[in-house]
Amino acid sequence: MTVRVVEGTRIEEGRLVRETVEIYFAVLNKNNNRLAIRIPLELPEVTADSARMQRVFVNLISNSLKHTHNGTIFIKAEEEDGGIKVTVKDTGCGISEEDLPHIWERYCKGKHSETGTGLGLFICKFIVESHGGKIWVESEVGKGTSFMFTLPVSPSQSV
């Protein structure tokens, strides 16, 4: 029997994002990128497994760093439609129209990806959806990619 630890994750304090960035950004950032984080303090709490959510952030930030050179990785959270919307946006090479429909598939690696297993985005989708959220992407070749996901607000925070 597997027990899943669920706790109130205060994304609005930026604690989870900042911890993830402190641990992984310096190690992963080999392309001289800058990081900008915008997370207001007044966002409501979400109920989530913080270890799994950290994995989502690591996967999304790692992908951005791999495909961005001398650019910016921008992370923000905001309240939207009774939930929290998180965006990880980069100024990287973007994802081709041809690859976009397949990025959520298991073992899918983009044509320009030289590293990884092709499981990162598949795992992100699974984790976000298992928390009652949704995840999607917007991308333009040569301009960058934005990954967005939503998580519902904790029942105790709903009005």
Side-chain angles (χ1 to χ4, degrees), residues 11 15 32 36 43-44 46 50 56 65 69 87 93 146 154:
I11 290 176
R15 184 175 61 226
N32 197 32
L43 293 175
V46 298
S50 61
V56 171
L65 289 170
H69 300 273
T87 303
C93 62
S146 295
S154 296

PDB file of all heavy atoms in Angstrom, residues 11 15 32 36 43-44 46 50 56 65 69 87 93 146 154:
ATOM      1  N   ILE A  11       2.772  28.021  -2.400  1.00  0.00           N
ATOM      2  CA  ILE A  11       3.459  28.494  -3.588  1.00  0.00           C
ATOM      3  C   ILE A  11       3.553  30.012  -3.542  1.00  0.00           C
ATOM      4  O   ILE A  11       4.526  30.599  -3.980  1.00  0.00           O
ATOM      5  CB  ILE A  11       2.736  28.020  -4.867  1.00  0.00           C
ATOM      6  CG1 ILE A  11       2.912  26.514  -5.031  1.00  0.00           C
ATOM      7  CG2 ILE A  11       3.259  28.759  -6.098  1.00  0.00           C
ATOM      8  CD1 ILE A  11       2.168  25.920  -6.192  1.00  0.00           C
ATOM      9  N   ARG A  15       8.357  29.791  -1.498  1.00  0.00           N
ATOM     10  CA  ARG A  15       9.300  28.909  -0.805  1.00  0.00           C
ATOM     11  C   ARG A  15       9.680  27.707  -1.663  1.00  0.00           C
ATOM     12  O   ARG A  15      10.858  27.413  -1.831  1.00  0.00           O
ATOM     13  CB  ARG A  15       8.713  28.461   0.531  1.00  0.00           C
ATOM     14  CG  ARG A  15       9.670  27.619   1.363  1.00  0.00           C
ATOM     15  CD  ARG A  15       9.106  27.286   2.718  1.00  0.00           C
ATOM     16  NE  ARG A  15       7.877  26.527   2.588  1.00  0.00           N
ATOM     17  CZ  ARG A  15       6.767  26.787   3.292  1.00  0.00           C
ATOM     18  NH1 ARG A  15       6.731  27.750   4.163  1.00  0.00           N
ATOM     19  NH2 ARG A  15       5.691  26.058   3.114  1.00  0.00           N
ATOM     20  N   ASN A  32      24.461  30.702 -19.325  1.00  0.00           N
ATOM     21  CA  ASN A  32      24.479  32.121 -18.991  1.00  0.00           C
ATOM     22  C   ASN A  32      23.094  32.772 -19.033  1.00  0.00           C
ATOM     23  O   ASN A  32      22.903  33.841 -19.595  1.00  0.00           O
ATOM     24  CB  ASN A  32      25.445  32.874 -19.921  1.00  0.00           C
ATOM     25  CG  ASN A  32      25.812  34.226 -19.373  1.00  0.00           C
ATOM     26  OD1 ASN A  32      25.879  34.413 -18.162  1.00  0.00           O
ATOM     27  ND2 ASN A  32      26.047  35.179 -20.261  1.00  0.00           N
ATOM     28  N   ALA A  36      14.086  35.258 -13.346  1.00  0.00           N
ATOM     29  CA  ALA A  36      13.190  36.246 -12.737  1.00  0.00           C
ATOM     30  C   ALA A  36      12.024  35.485 -12.108  1.00  0.00           C
ATOM     31  O   ALA A  36      11.404  34.643 -12.761  1.00  0.00           O
ATOM     32  CB  ALA A  36      12.686  37.227 -13.786  1.00  0.00           C
ATOM     33  N   LEU A  43      -1.369  35.113  -2.469  1.00  0.00           N
ATOM     34  CA  LEU A  43      -2.060  33.998  -3.115  1.00  0.00           C
ATOM     35  C   LEU A  43      -2.531  32.978  -2.082  1.00  0.00           C
ATOM     36  O   LEU A  43      -1.862  32.744  -1.082  1.00  0.00           O
ATOM     37  CB  LEU A  43      -1.131  33.311  -4.115  1.00  0.00           C
ATOM     38  CG  LEU A  43      -0.746  34.129  -5.345  1.00  0.00           C
ATOM     39  CD1 LEU A  43       0.268  33.360  -6.180  1.00  0.00           C
ATOM     40  CD2 LEU A  43      -1.960  34.463  -6.178  1.00  0.00           C
ATOM     41  N   PRO A  44      -3.680  32.329  -2.350  1.00  0.00           N
ATOM     42  CA  PRO A  44      -4.169  31.294  -1.434  1.00  0.00           C
ATOM     43  C   PRO A  44      -3.344  30.006  -1.519  1.00  0.00           C
ATOM     44  O   PRO A  44      -2.589  29.794  -2.461  1.00  0.00           O
ATOM     45  CB  PRO A  44      -5.604  31.051  -1.898  1.00  0.00           C
ATOM     46  CG  PRO A  44      -5.664  31.542  -3.299  1.00  0.00           C
ATOM     47  CD  PRO A  44      -4.607  32.594  -3.450  1.00  0.00           C
ATOM     48  N   VAL A  46      -2.560  25.978  -1.851  1.00  0.00           N
ATOM     49  CA  VAL A  46      -3.017  24.804  -2.588  1.00  0.00           C
ATOM     50  C   VAL A  46      -2.614  23.567  -1.793  1.00  0.00           C
ATOM     51  O   VAL A  46      -1.670  23.608  -1.007  1.00  0.00           O
ATOM     52  CB  VAL A  46      -2.414  24.734  -4.010  1.00  0.00           C
ATOM     53  CG1 VAL A  46      -2.836  25.927  -4.835  1.00  0.00           C
ATOM     54  CG2 VAL A  46      -0.911  24.603  -3.981  1.00  0.00           C
ATOM     55  N   SER A  50       4.542  18.381  -1.927  1.00  0.00           N
ATOM     56  CA  SER A  50       5.600  19.331  -2.275  1.00  0.00           C
ATOM     57  C   SER A  50       6.760  18.666  -3.021  1.00  0.00           C
ATOM     58  O   SER A  50       7.360  19.281  -3.899  1.00  0.00           O
ATOM     59  CB  SER A  50       6.095  20.083  -1.047  1.00  0.00           C
ATOM     60  OG  SER A  50       6.627  19.209  -0.099  1.00  0.00           O
ATOM     61  N   VAL A  56       8.023  18.853 -10.711  1.00  0.00           N
ATOM     62  CA  VAL A  56       7.455  19.589 -11.847  1.00  0.00           C
ATOM     63  C   VAL A  56       8.304  20.821 -12.133  1.00  0.00           C
ATOM     64  O   VAL A  56       8.697  21.066 -13.274  1.00  0.00           O
ATOM     65  CB  VAL A  56       5.980  19.983 -11.576  1.00  0.00           C
ATOM     66  CG1 VAL A  56       5.455  20.937 -12.644  1.00  0.00           C
ATOM     67  CG2 VAL A  56       5.096  18.737 -11.495  1.00  0.00           C
ATOM     68  N   LEU A  65      16.224  25.766 -19.325  1.00  0.00           N
ATOM     69  CA  LEU A  65      17.666  26.035 -19.309  1.00  0.00           C
ATOM     70  C   LEU A  65      18.401  25.328 -20.444  1.00  0.00           C
ATOM     71  O   LEU A  65      19.356  25.864 -21.000  1.00  0.00           O
ATOM     72  CB  LEU A  65      18.265  25.635 -17.962  1.00  0.00           C
ATOM     73  CG  LEU A  65      17.876  26.533 -16.790  1.00  0.00           C
ATOM     74  CD1 LEU A  65      18.310  25.904 -15.471  1.00  0.00           C
ATOM     75  CD2 LEU A  65      18.486  27.917 -16.954  1.00  0.00           C
ATOM     76  N   HIS A  69      19.838  30.110 -24.341  1.00  0.00           N
ATOM     77  CA  HIS A  69      21.229  30.545 -24.225  1.00  0.00           C
ATOM     78  C   HIS A  69      21.260  32.063 -24.114  1.00  0.00           C
ATOM     79  O   HIS A  69      20.658  32.759 -24.940  1.00  0.00           O
ATOM     80  CB  HIS A  69      22.034  30.100 -25.451  1.00  0.00           C
ATOM     81  CG  HIS A  69      22.045  28.616 -25.629  1.00  0.00           C
ATOM     82  ND1 HIS A  69      22.974  27.813 -25.019  1.00  0.00           N
ATOM     83  CD2 HIS A  69      21.214  27.789 -26.318  1.00  0.00           C
ATOM     84  CE1 HIS A  69      22.724  26.549 -25.333  1.00  0.00           C
ATOM     85  NE2 HIS A  69      21.657  26.511 -26.119  1.00  0.00           N
ATOM     86  N   THR A  87       3.448  29.894 -14.275  1.00  0.00           N
ATOM     87  CA  THR A  87       4.033  29.980 -15.613  1.00  0.00           C
ATOM     88  C   THR A  87       5.549  29.871 -15.510  1.00  0.00           C
ATOM     89  O   THR A  87       6.156  30.537 -14.674  1.00  0.00           O
ATOM     90  CB  THR A  87       3.683  31.325 -16.282  1.00  0.00           C
ATOM     91  OG1 THR A  87       2.257  31.469 -16.335  1.00  0.00           O
ATOM     92  CG2 THR A  87       4.258  31.416 -17.690  1.00  0.00           C
ATOM     93  N   CYS A  93      14.799  28.596 -27.809  1.00  0.00           N
ATOM     94  CA  CYS A  93      14.617  28.281 -29.229  1.00  0.00           C
ATOM     95  C   CYS A  93      13.185  27.943 -29.617  1.00  0.00           C
ATOM     96  O   CYS A  93      12.842  27.971 -30.792  1.00  0.00           O
ATOM     97  CB  CYS A  93      15.553  27.144 -29.635  1.00  0.00           C
ATOM     98  SG  CYS A  93      15.258  25.606 -28.761  1.00  0.00           S
ATOM     99  N   SER A 146       6.410  28.920 -23.203  1.00  0.00           N
ATOM    100  CA  SER A 146       5.766  29.136 -21.904  1.00  0.00           C
ATOM    101  C   SER A 146       5.008  27.876 -21.533  1.00  0.00           C
ATOM    102  O   SER A 146       4.134  27.435 -22.276  1.00  0.00           O
ATOM    103  CB  SER A 146       4.774  30.296 -21.964  1.00  0.00           C
ATOM    104  OG  SER A 146       5.436  31.507 -22.217  1.00  0.00           O
ATOM    105  N   SER A 154      -6.803  25.114  -2.031  1.00  0.00           N
ATOM    106  CA  SER A 154      -7.197  24.184  -0.960  1.00  0.00           C
ATOM    107  C   SER A 154      -8.644  24.440  -0.560  1.00  0.00           C
ATOM    108  O   SER A 154      -9.056  25.597  -0.490  1.00  0.00           O
ATOM    109  CB  SER A 154      -6.304  24.366   0.266  1.00  0.00           C
ATOM    110  OG  SER A 154      -4.975  24.027  -0.040  1.00  0.00           O
TER     111      SER A 154
END
